[in-house]
Amino acid sequence: MNLGVRWTLHGDGRTPAPGAVVRPDERLSWPRTAGLGAQHVVAMFGASFVAPVLMGLDPNLAIMMSGVATVVFLLATRGTVPSYLGCSLSFVGVAATIRATGGDSATVTGAVLVVGAVLFLVGLAVRRFGARIIHVAMPPIVTGAVVMLIGFNLAPVTASTYWPQDQWTALLVMLFTGLAVVCLRGFWSRVAIFLGLVFGYALSWVFDLAFGKIHSPLGGGEAVDHWRLDLSGVAKADWIGLPSFHAPAFEWSAILVALPVVIALVAENAGHVKAVGEMTGDPLDDKLGTAIAADGAASILSTAVGGPPNTTYSENIGVMAATRVYSTAAYWAAAGFALLFGLCPKFGAVVAAIPGGVLGGITVILYGMIGLLGAQIWINADVDLRNPLNLVPAAAGIIIGVGGVSLKITDNFELGGIALGTIVVITGYHVLRAFAPAHLKEQEPLLDSGTSSYEGGRSAKDGGDGRGGEGGGAQPVARS
């Protein structure tokens, strides 16, 4: 059985010839492959440890399970789709909503595990019926609106939890991160979020030395005196050890809040597969269903032990675009490094010590970027918002999702926020389309019969990184 773990040496194994690419089934020398793997780890690092912190989950376990998820993905796709699976930022709002209603980490991971199972089933359906069903059920107007409301639904988290902890640090971190995203080039621009965290970490330490403790709300609670940067947990943490595991718990209310993220993940995976296919020159339309199912299976495995969900990362697609090295051997090396990081509790303690004010500055940009990626999906798919068939369901769903509008069904059950907004967008679009006059439905097909081009095609042709959604990092792709 071909599992995609055999590679032929590219040329002399040192440097690809001018204009040449290292294909997925090729590799450079093992030292160079290990170096590329380390570069992939750095590229995904920012989003992959910020996301679990924002979700209230163990960052050590998140990094370790991202390595496991990548291995699962590479084996499932038999090494034909070079991608790294990191923690999805699409679930940050879901986790915040679940915790706000009394849920804990087990409830969060239980709800997300169900989403992974649904994503796995969607992947099997795409394998069976073809990628056209994605467009039929979730056209770009729907996916864009859902991604947008997921991102903007997070605004109150920043405003009420992170920013008030240290508003001046948050402001400076926001300005620094914005400059890094805009002004840096190449690899450094892709890790701008990570650089913003490092800057904020150092700034908080300097402010503690210069001004002492700060009197502010801690984690959305009462105002107390506290250090901006508390490293007491780092000194107590071991250098080597297993991360903390926990079993998931299942509650219908939490599951309904999380399910809409399936739409964002499908759009994200479709865009990534399209981008990778165009960069490598090998059409991967027939692998889309397998890639989606593999992502779902990997998320099930991660959440089953208490980790976060995973998704393909645009940051790593950007690394491939820059290096023109598409070897899956480099991703195996990256997965190995991630497993090693996950076994270092001291690393996790350093991540967990990130000051709230720093997260405030980061999330102002990050959450806004996630939301605006919905608009990017519309732009890249040429969605016409002058058409009321597109405008009405999207407008209603976004306001419901962003504003936290709720609909009480019974005394013990209500829909609101992300869940209700998504239902309004999807059902509203299809119901209105069924009754709309013919002239509103007469438009050119937005997607071809193969796979989606939600965002990958344009940037790939430009030699870009397929950006437009997760996750994460300075240039996330359709998330996550």
Side-chain angles (χ1 to χ4, degrees):
M1 178 183 293
N2 178 22
L3 296 178
V5 293
R6 294 179 179 273
W7 303 274
T8 58
L9 190 65
H10 177 87
D12 61 1
R14 296 180 180 177
T15 305
V21 300
V22 181
R23 298 175 58 80
D25 60 350
E26 297 179 327
R27 65 169 177 85
L28 298 177
S29 65
W30 284 116
R32 287 171 173 78
T33 296
L36 286 166
Q39 185 172 341
H40 278 299
V41 169
V42 173
M44 67 85 183
F45 219 61
S48 271
F49 78 63
V50 171
V53 169
L54 297 177
M55 294 173 68
L57 301 176
D58 184 354
N60 268 61
L61 183 58
I63 295 295
M64 187 174 77
M65 293 310 296
S66 75
V68 174
T70 300
V71 169
V72 170
F73 185 89
L74 293 174
L75 290 174
T77 58
R78 289 175 167 77
T80 58
V81 186
S83 290
Y84 191 92
L85 268 64
C87 182
S88 174
L89 282 163
S90 294
F91 291 92
V92 172
V94 167
T97 301
I98 293 173
R99 290 184 183 278
T101 56
D104 57 10
S105 294
T107 310
V108 170
T109 52
V112 176
L113 188 151
V114 174
V115 174
V118 173
L119 186 65
F120 176 76
L121 295 176
V122 170
L124 295 183
V126 173
R127 286 191 61 179
R128 174 65 178 83
F129 299 105
R132 181 179 289 273
I133 65 170
I134 294 177
H135 176 54
V136 172
M138 298 177 294
I141 181 62
V142 170
T143 56
V146 172
V147 170
M148 187 174 290
L149 68 87
I150 287 173
F152 292 156
N153 179 264
L154 296 168
V157 177
T158 294
S160 62
T161 301
Y162 297 126
W163 191 279
Q165 292 187 44
D166 187 355
Q167 60 177 0
W168 294 111
T169 295
L171 179 63
L172 292 173
V173 170
M174 180 192 72
L175 294 174
F176 176 89
T177 305
L179 287 171
V181 171
V182 174
C183 299
L184 296 180
R185 293 291 181 267
F187 168 76
W188 293 109
S189 70
R190 297 189 185 96
V191 295
I193 297 295
F194 175 74
L195 296 177
L197 288 170
V198 173
F199 170 79
Y201 215 99
L203 184 67
S204 297
W205 177 69
V206 171
F207 278 7
D208 279 343
L209 290 178
F211 306 115
K213 291 184 177 181
I214 186 173
H215 184 77
S216 67
L218 190 60
E222 296 293 327
V224 296
D225 291 330
H226 63 93
W227 295 108
R228 297 168 180 83
L229 179 61
D230 184 1
L231 296 177
S232 58
V234 178
K236 298 175 184 177
D238 296 327
W239 281 102
I240 300 176
L242 289 173
S244 58
F245 299 96
H246 68 258
F250 302 96
E251 295 183 11
W252 275 111
S253 58
I255 291 170
L256 289 175
V257 170
L259 277 176
V261 182
V262 169
I263 297 173
L265 295 180
V266 170
E268 184 174 74
N269 274 278
H272 285 176
V273 170
K274 184 73 171 181
V276 172
E278 291 190 1
M279 285 192 298
T280 61
D282 294 327
L284 296 174
D285 295 356
D286 60 329
K287 299 295 183 182
L288 177 59
T290 301
I292 293 174
D295 188 355
S299 291
I300 292 172
L301 183 61
S302 177
T303 53
V305 297
N310 294 285
T311 189
T312 52
Y313 260 32
S314 62
E315 291 87 343
N316 299 94
I317 293 176
V319 171
M320 289 192 296
T323 62
R324 298 176 66 82
V325 178
Y326 309 119
S327 172
T328 55
Y331 284 104
W332 278 92
F337 285 125
L339 289 171
L340 292 177
F341 273 119
L343 296 174
C344 180
K346 195 170 286 291
F347 157 76
V350 170
V351 174
I354 296 173
V358 177
L359 293 176
I362 291 293
T363 54
V364 163
I365 294 177
L366 193 59
Y367 292 169
M369 289 171 66
I370 295 172
L372 288 176
L373 289 170
Q376 184 175 347
I377 290 175
W378 289 344
I379 293 170
N380 288 354
D382 295 326
V383 172
D384 184 5
L385 290 178
R386 296 169 299 179
N387 186 338
L389 178 58
N390 294 329
L391 180 62
V392 171
I398 289 171
I399 290 299
I400 288 174
V402 174
V405 176
S406 62
L407 183 66
K408 191 171 184 178
I409 308 299
T410 68
D411 290 339
N412 300 318
F413 178 71
E414 69 177 29
L415 287 171
I418 295 174
L420 182 59
T422 300
I423 291 173
V424 168
V425 173
I426 297 176
T427 59
Y429 174 81
H430 288 290
V431 170
L432 290 175
R433 185 173 180 82
F435 291 97
H439 71 277
L440 293 181
K441 295 184 284 188
E442 291 174 356
Q443 59 182 13
E444 294 297 321
L446 299 179
L447 300 177
D448 58 32
S449 60
T451 186
S452 153
S453 58
Y454 293 114
E455 38 75 28
R458 182 174 303 177
S459 59
K461 291 177 182 177
D462 292 341
D465 58 6
R467 71 185 74 169
E470 186 65 25
Q475 298 156 344
V477 175
R479 279 171 187 63
S480 300

